[in-house]
Amino acid sequence: MFPIGRSLPSADDLLVLLAVGRSGRFTTAADTLGVNHTTVSRRIASLERALGGRVLVKTSGGWELTALGRRALDAAEHVDGVVRGLVDPDGAPLGGVVRISATDGFSAYIAAPAAVEVRRRHPAVSVELIAATRRASEARSGMDIEVVVGQPRVHRAEAIRVAEYCLGLYATRDYLDRHGTPADRTELEAHPLVYFVDSMLRVDDLDLAHTGAGTGVRLPAMAGSVSSTNVFVHVEATRAHAGIGLLPCFMADRHDDLIRVLPDDVTVTLAYWLVARTDTLRRPEVAAVVDAIRAQALARADELRGRAGAAR
């Protein structure tokens, strides 16, 4: 029995919550629904009155569902499924927007081809890729999927190990001809390192790759060269002879002008993890993107681990 004196939640209000829950923003939900921001706000307020509590809280990243909001979202997904079934009893084609946050290299070489494959099979699905190297967010409003480096510690979300990948030391032949090829780790001290900006690195496992703790590889103190928050800058700076770059093998091995340095001594193995809320993973369009990402990572396993370049 629903509490006396309280009106039943409106199906329209639930569908508005579904749009906000998926995007994390009132403005995005309004655009999706074809209404204005004020209407979205009014519908959410109506739903909260009917349920007797808050369904959304404001965070730095957008609007996040409360515990009550997550329960309401489950009901909203059922309503959405029933409505879609009325339109097409045999199953409506997949549609909607899936937003992914992933590292620069993963976005370009794994997520982008996966997105193209999803679009080929489901033209009504749009995929937005936000390239960022960061920890998994506790307040992931606005993102359907996050791909991060290293096993994340998250609550109210699922973490799926996608793939292992390796980093190695690379330099150009011209650089090595001018400055000498290191014969062992101790000789690395004479060379500048191309890598992330230390003060802005927010991913523990990538920091470990630099310090060596927990990876089995410890590099000697190397002078800084060109540093960046973007791994594509690392690759291009290394190709421009800035020094020795600690680079993902699946990116560096694509360039014939880069030579692997001390491959038997310096190999850092890390892992990509995919993070998403359980309710988000139940959305068919999100599930299709996740499946495509995992398939793409599996197909490129040798590249990710550096085996393709080693065999060249």
Side-chain angles (χ1 to χ4, degrees):
M1 293 291 292
F2 206 71
I4 296 174
R6 188 183 301 169
S7 60
L8 286 169
S10 160
D12 286 340
D13 294 348
L14 286 170
L15 292 176
V16 169
L17 176 67
L18 183 62
V20 177
R22 287 175 173 176
S23 67
R25 288 172 171 78
F26 280 16
T27 52
T28 305
D31 291 342
T32 300
L33 297 169
V35 299
N36 57 43
H37 178 279
T38 304
T39 299
V40 171
S41 180
R42 187 174 64 251
R43 289 289 192 179
I44 294 299
S46 172
L47 180 61
E48 290 181 332
R49 285 195 300 272
L51 295 178
R54 298 292 301 277
V55 294
L56 295 166
V57 292
K58 184 71 171 176
T59 71
S60 58
W63 290 94
E64 182 76 12
L65 293 163
T66 64
L68 177 60
R70 287 192 294 275
R71 294 200 301 273
L73 191 72
D74 288 340
E77 289 178 330
H78 287 302
V79 172
D80 185 57
V82 171
V83 171
R84 289 177 184 272
L86 288 172
V87 176
D88 184 358
D90 297 324
L94 297 189
V97 179
V98 179
R99 302 191 81 206
I100 305 170
S101 169
T103 63
D104 302 300
F106 191 97
S107 293
Y109 296 124
I110 304 296
V116 172
E117 178 62 20
V118 171
R119 288 270 304 154
R120 185 184 68 79
R121 296 180 181 179
H122 310 287
V125 175
S126 297
V127 180
E128 296 180 356
L129 277 169
I130 294 85
T133 302
R134 61 188 183 192
R135 298 186 184 96
S137 172
E138 285 296 342
R140 56 187 52 83
S141 288
M143 292 295 162
D144 299 304
I145 297 168
E146 291 180 282
V147 178
V148 298
V149 176
Q151 184 170 6
R153 296 182 178 90
V154 292
H155 303 289
R156 303 191 303 274
E158 293 188 35
I160 303 168
R161 188 183 180 95
V162 175
E164 285 188 348
Y165 77 104
C166 291
L167 292 86
L169 296 175
Y170 290 83
T172 61
R173 187 175 302 280
D174 180 74
Y175 173 86
L176 296 174
D177 286 345
R178 285 187 288 116
H179 301 280
T181 301
D184 54 39
R185 292 187 199 177
T186 60
E187 293 189 6
L188 290 172
E189 293 182 2
H191 299 270
L193 177 68
V194 179
Y195 198 54
F196 284 99
V197 181
D198 284 350
S199 61
M200 300 183 71
L201 188 55
R202 296 292 180 264
V203 178
D204 293 342
D205 279 40
L206 288 173
D207 190 44
L208 293 176
H210 190 195
T211 63
T215 65
V217 175
R218 185 173 184 81
L219 298 179
M222 298 172 67
S225 178
V226 176
S227 301
S228 174
T229 58
N230 187 307
V231 71
F232 282 98
V233 175
H234 303 170
V235 173
E236 293 307 315
T238 304
R239 296 183 68 201
H241 325 301
I244 296 179
L246 181 57
L247 309 175
C249 296
F250 72 92
M251 297 179 67
D253 289 342
R254 294 170 178 269
H255 301 284
D256 291 333
D257 54 338
L258 291 179
I259 298 171
R260 184 84 179 264
V261 176
L262 300 176
D264 296 329
D265 293 334
V266 180
T267 297
V268 180
T269 302
L270 301 175
Y272 286 120
W273 287 75
L274 185 150
V275 181
R277 291 185 299 222
T278 303
D279 54 285
T280 300
L281 290 171
R282 288 201 296 265
R283 286 167 48 197
E285 66 272 25
V286 173
V289 172
V290 171
D291 288 344
I293 286 174
R294 298 180 78 175
Q296 191 70 216
L298 180 62
R300 299 194 172 188
D302 284 349
E303 291 178 46
L304 289 167
R305 296 190 183 109
R307 294 175 185 171
R312 214 172 46 189

